[in-house]
Amino acid sequence: AKSPVEWQLYAHYSGQASYTKGLLLLDNSIPSTPHALELMANDCKWRSRQGTGYWTPLERPELLMVQTGADYVTGMHVLWNTSTAKDYQLVKLNMNSLHGIKQMATLHISCRPKHN
């Protein structure tokens, strides 16, 4: 079954050096249950939210999926290098296609707490 894919990325900048204060990644592929990821520079911790629910911290790498029934539509896969205290992170954006799940984009993030 076909489903539209809609990802949005927002960044908040500040200061003369244009440091990023926060990132917000939205997956509105299923408008009735949007998924969101947030990273704030004050603590460099990912938080996720589904629909209008509460923000929940990610304690480990995680795959956040959007589904229609049993069908996988899209996913945001958050990964980090645990050997370096989570300072290097990835978010892989995946979608279902006629040929299976495909990685469409990768967001590389380096974050140092309170460096905003």
Side-chain angles (χ1 to χ4, degrees):
K2 280 187 171 184
S3 292
V5 173
E6 182 181 339
W7 290 306
Q8 298 172 347
L9 174 65
Y10 298 93
H12 180 116
Y13 297 99
S14 82
Q16 292 179 346
S18 295
Y19 288 118
T20 305
K21 292 185 71 155
L23 291 175
L24 178 64
L25 182 58
L26 300 176
D27 186 342
N28 290 314
S29 299
I30 307 292
S32 60
T33 56
H35 283 66
L37 279 173
E38 167 187 80
L39 179 72
M40 303 300 290
N42 62 336
D43 62 4
C44 294
K45 293 187 180 183
W46 285 102
R47 292 167 188 81
S48 67
R49 184 173 78 178
Q50 182 177 352
T52 58
Y54 295 104
W55 287 101
T56 306
L58 298 183
E59 301 297 331
R60 64 188 182 289
E62 193 169 328
L63 174 61
L64 306 168
M65 295 184 296
V66 173
Q67 294 179 256
T68 57
D71 294 332
Y72 176 92
V73 177
T74 60
M76 296 184 290
H77 196 179
V78 180
L79 303 163
W80 55 71
N81 185 346
T82 56
S83 65
T84 58
K86 297 188 212 174
D87 65 351
Y88 180 72
Q89 305 164 13
L90 298 172
V91 177
K92 295 182 178 184
L93 301 176
N94 305 316
M95 65 177 280
N96 200 357
S97 73
L98 292 174
H99 307 289
I101 296 171
K102 299 287 183 186
Q103 182 178 316
M104 302 308 295
T106 302
L107 180 62
H108 296 259
I109 300 112
S110 178
C111 187
R112 292 183 292 179
K114 299 184 175 144
H115 195 247
N116 53 354

